[in-house]
């Protein structure tokens, strides 16, 4: 369960997120849509405790991310934008490190790592330094890291960015497999992705929610019945907004 | 505690996963040797002690320790891994302390690897090994103080070059206040308590006191409170970076 209430973040004069409220329940896969600069990433950074909001609250399974940070972060899996990792480590070392941070040791750590590696297909590159891996594999290292501890809430910033069509398909299958018991939020530019895996889509523009519903409902709102026409109608391109 | 240990292990291993460790250790030992034997004319003194060797430590640390500290936070910010680190369920103090202690332990490894010079003086004569041990402890503490400064500054920037340059300058201030250049220029006109106050902030004064063979509580308190102060600043800098 992820509860966001009137979340606000300003950077100098720019309001990146403006009083955004959103509740995501277990079993939901929420697609977070919006043009670049709409506030998707900033919202995710606040929801995971990387940025402190200027106003509003975020609760992860009832734990406030600002006042009860560690308890909230324990229940979260997060794939930050660009899937950062420690380049000099191998995926095996990296995932072992994440296991320890997550309080998984010995057999439990090995089991968790094997499951995550199986889901993400990292087997062939397990012992190569992450910095030498292709973009697709690096993204999958980030995914493996996010799902390692079987979190209740999973937040992923563009999980399929930079993947080829086969890899995209694998990641979507993975999300579908784990979705029924989890609360999942993914941000994406790809409207086809929303249609493929999301049970709910939220469109944001300039830090505000401008549409919220199932992908089907949103398509019905569009005159042409296509999601991307609705998207264009609702949101302002960055250069126009500026 | 476990969280800190986990960060410590990752960070310590990171030094050895890249050529950083070997380049650093090589330059460190080479510089220590070059200054002691060529610049300090160790053999010409004809005395079997390590006073000359230790007298160069503050000045070598001035450059070597910021080089060790600069990557601690700046590199994470540059690569974006800081976002991962700060969204993992780790208390900030554990991350700050784990990183710092890993760098300090690495500096300790470098210091221990200077043992051949200790073997040399013991082969050539019979030095006071108690004094040498005290000086080694003092050198390690001083390295820790330089490191705490460097780590805090690294947390304030995403550029390792800036972290290095600013750290060298700040470390220089903490070193030079006890050098004759500063104390003598002050003692001409400033009241004695001021001269003493300025000098008392210097690593040189405290380190010299220890290399004389006396591990005084005051010098220990000085180094440990300085380390504590800068680690606290480091924590605040990491916390405030969350403000955007």
């Amino acid at each position: 369960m992820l509860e966001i209430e009137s979340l606000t973040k300003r950077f100098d004069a720019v309001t990146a997120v403006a009083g955004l409220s959103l509740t995501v329940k277990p079993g939901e896969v929420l697609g977070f849509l919006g043009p670049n600069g709409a506030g998707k990433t900033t919202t995710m950074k606040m929801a995971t405790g990387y940025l402190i909001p200027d106003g509003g609250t975020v609760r992860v399974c009832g734990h406030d991310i600002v006042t009860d940070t560690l308890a909230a972060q324990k229940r979260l899996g997060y794939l930050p934008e660009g899937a950062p990792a420690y380049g000099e480590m191998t995926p095996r070392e990296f995932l072992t490190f994440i296991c320890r941070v997550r309080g998984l040791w010995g057999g439990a750590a090995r089991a968790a790592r094997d499951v995550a590696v199986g889901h993400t297909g990292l087997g062939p590159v397990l012992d190569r330094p992450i910095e030498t891996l292709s973009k697709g594999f690096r993204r999958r290292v980030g995914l493996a890291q996010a799902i390692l501890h079987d979190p209740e809430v999973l937040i992923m910033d563009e999980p399929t960015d930079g993947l080829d069509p086969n890899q995209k398909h694998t990641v979507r299958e993975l999300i579908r497999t784990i979705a029924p018991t989890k609360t999942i939020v993914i941000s994406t530019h790809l409207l086809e992705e929303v249609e493929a895996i999301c049970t709910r889509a939220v469109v944001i523009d300039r830090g505000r929610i401008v549409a919220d519903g199932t992908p089907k409902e949103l398509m019905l709102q569009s005159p042409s019945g296509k999601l991307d026409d609705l998207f264009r109608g609702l949101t302002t391109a960055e250069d126009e907004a500026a | 505690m476990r969280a800190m240990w986990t960060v410590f292990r990752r960070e310590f291993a990171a030094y050895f996963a890249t050529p950083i460790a070997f380049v650093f250790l090589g330059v460190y030992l080479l510089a220590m040797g070059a200054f002691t034997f060529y610049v300090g004319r160790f053999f010409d003194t004809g005395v079997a002690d390590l006073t000359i060797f230790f007298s160069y430590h503050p000045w070598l640390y001035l450059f070597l320790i910021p080089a060790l500290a600069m990557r601690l936070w700046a590199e994470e910010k540059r690569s974006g891994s800081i976002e991962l680190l700060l969204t993992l369920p780790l208390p900030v103090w554990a991350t700050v302390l784990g990183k710092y202690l890993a760098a300090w332990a690495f500096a300790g490894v470098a210091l221990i690897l200077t043992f051949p010079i200790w073997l040399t003086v013991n082969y050539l004569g019979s030095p006071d090994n108690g004094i040498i041990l005290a000086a080694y402890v003092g050198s390690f503490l001083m390295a820790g103080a330089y490191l705490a400064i460097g780590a805090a500054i690294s947390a304030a920037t995403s550029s390792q070059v800036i972290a290095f340059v600013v750290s060298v300058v700040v470390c220089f201030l903490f070193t030079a206040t006890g050098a004759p250049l500063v104390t003598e220029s002050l003692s001409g006109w400033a009241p004695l308590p001021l001269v003493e106050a300025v000098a008392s902030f210097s690593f040189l004064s405290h380190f010299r006191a220890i290399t004389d063979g006396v591990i005084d509580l005051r010098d220990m308190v000085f180094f440990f409170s300085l380390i504590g102060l800068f680690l606290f600043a480091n924590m605040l800098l990491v916390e405030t970076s969350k403000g955007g």
Side-chain angles (χ1 to χ4, degrees):
Chain A
M1 178 85 125
L2 178 70
E3 298 157 281
I4 299 176
E5 239 168 81
S6 30
L7 199 63
T8 301
K9 185 77 196 173
R10 279 177 291 271
F11 296 109
D12 297 320
V14 183
T15 303
V17 178
L20 192 137
S21 296
L22 193 63
T23 300
V24 195
K25 294 191 193 71
E28 273 188 319
V29 180
L30 184 132
F32 216 27
L33 292 161
N36 287 327
K40 303 189 294 285
T41 297
T42 308
T43 303
M44 290 182 154
K45 283 179 173 171
M46 287 191 282
T48 52
Y50 179 62
L51 279 181
I52 292 173
D54 291 328
T57 56
V58 175
R59 276 192 303 279
V60 180
C61 307
H63 299 277
D64 189 288
I65 194 73
V66 176
T67 58
D68 196 7
T69 313
L70 294 188
Q73 287 177 337
K74 275 185 189 144
R75 288 159 179 85
L76 264 178
Y78 178 39
L79 173 71
E81 191 178 23
Y86 294 107
E88 79 280 357
M89 297 177 108
T90 65
R92 188 194 299 277
E93 292 165 346
F94 179 65
L95 294 177
T96 305
F97 166 68
I98 302 289
C99 278
R100 290 195 186 122
V101 171
R102 298 285 187 188
L104 298 164
W105 297 75
R110 266 192 301 279
R113 198 185 63 206
D114 290 345
V115 170
V117 166
H119 272 315
T120 49
L122 280 174
V125 299
L126 216 46
D127 293 304
R128 282 169 46 190
I130 294 171
E131 62 198 357
T132 66
L133 301 180
S134 67
K135 201 175 172 190
F137 272 123
R138 264 184 272 173
R139 177 85 28 174
R140 287 194 264 172
V141 170
L143 275 167
Q145 164 276 124
I147 61 172
L148 196 60
H149 55 299
D150 196 23
E152 292 166 61
V153 178
L154 196 53
I155 297 180
M156 296 182 280
D157 204 345
E158 304 195 355
T160 60
D161 185 42
L163 300 184
D164 68 35
N166 291 335
Q167 295 166 339
K168 275 183 185 151
H169 180 75
T170 316
V171 169
R172 286 172 193 167
E173 283 301 312
L174 163 64
I175 294 173
R176 237 187 304 237
T177 316
I178 61 176
T181 56
K182 296 194 192 312
T183 306
I184 301 180
V185 177
I186 62 168
S187 81
T188 180
H189 289 298
L190 306 169
L191 300 163
E192 68 190 72
E193 190 152 293
V194 176
E195 291 174 47
I197 51 171
C198 295
T199 59
R200 182 176 163 198
V202 164
V203 183
I204 72 166
D205 183 40
R206 282 179 279 175
R208 286 170 213 282
I209 294 179
V210 290
D212 183 356
T214 65
K216 237 182 216 120
E217 285 167 5
L218 294 193
M219 275 185 263
L220 289 177
Q221 286 180 29
S222 158
S224 62
K226 279 190 189 148
L227 212 46
D228 40 352
D229 287 325
L230 177 83
F231 181 85
R232 262 197 298 275
L234 285 171
T235 61
T236 345
E238 202 172 8
D239 43 339
E240 288 170 42
Chain B
M1 233 27 203
R2 215 174 210 191
M4 190 195 78
W5 177 233
T6 303
V7 174
F8 174 90
R9 278 176 57 173
R10 199 212 74 75
E11 202 67 37
F12 192 72
Y15 281 109
F16 291 96
T18 56
I20 294 177
F22 304 101
V23 170
F24 182 85
L25 291 175
V27 171
Y28 180 92
L29 295 173
L30 212 66
M32 286 289 181
F35 274 91
T36 308
F37 289 104
Y38 294 98
V39 184
R41 305 203 156 269
F42 178 66
F43 287 128
D44 295 354
T45 59
V47 185
D49 71 13
L50 289 178
T51 311
I52 292 177
F53 168 68
F54 285 112
S55 70
Y56 287 109
H57 281 207
W59 304 104
L60 289 172
Y61 280 168
L62 193 52
F63 293 97
L64 292 172
I65 299 292
L68 200 59
M70 65 182 187
R71 52 167 287 283
L72 281 177
W73 295 93
E75 191 182 42
E76 298 245 12
K77 288 190 183 185
R78 179 55 54 93
S79 76
S81 55
I82 187 88
E83 187 168 351
L84 183 76
L85 190 65
L86 295 184
T87 52
L88 288 171
L90 292 166
V92 173
W93 67 264
T95 312
V96 168
L97 210 56
K99 273 176 169 288
Y100 169 75
L101 290 178
W104 201 10
F106 185 75
V109 169
L111 189 60
I112 286 170
L113 288 178
T114 62
F115 72 91
I117 196 157
W118 173 73
L119 292 178
T120 307
V121 284
N122 273 278
Y123 175 75
L124 293 174
S126 43
D128 185 336
N129 281 318
I131 290 186
I132 292 179
L133 182 67
Y136 264 112
V137 171
S139 177
F140 185 58
L141 274 178
M142 183 171 60
Y146 280 121
L147 255 179
I149 294 174
I153 291 169
S154 176
T157 172
S158 59
S159 157
Q160 295 196 47
V161 176
I162 292 177
F164 176 77
V165 173
V166 176
S167 298
V168 170
V169 171
V170 175
C171 288
F172 178 74
L173 292 178
F174 272 98
T175 311
T177 48
L181 177 76
V182 177
T183 48
E184 277 165 24
S185 68
L186 274 177
S187 60
W189 53 274
L192 192 63
L194 180 68
V195 179
E196 281 176 351
V198 169
S200 74
F201 270 102
S202 163
F203 289 10
L204 278 185
S205 327
H206 293 280
F207 181 56
R208 251 190 236 126
I210 295 175
T211 50
D212 287 343
V214 193
I215 300 187
D216 195 324
L217 189 65
R218 270 179 308 179
D219 302 313
M220 302 280 279
V221 167
F222 170 78
F223 282 122
F224 277 115
S225 41
L226 194 109
I227 290 169
L229 184 75
F230 275 93
L231 286 183
F232 184 66
N234 191 338
M235 253 182 74
L236 287 186
L237 282 163
V238 173
E239 289 281 6
T240 49
S241 74
K242 291 183 179 183

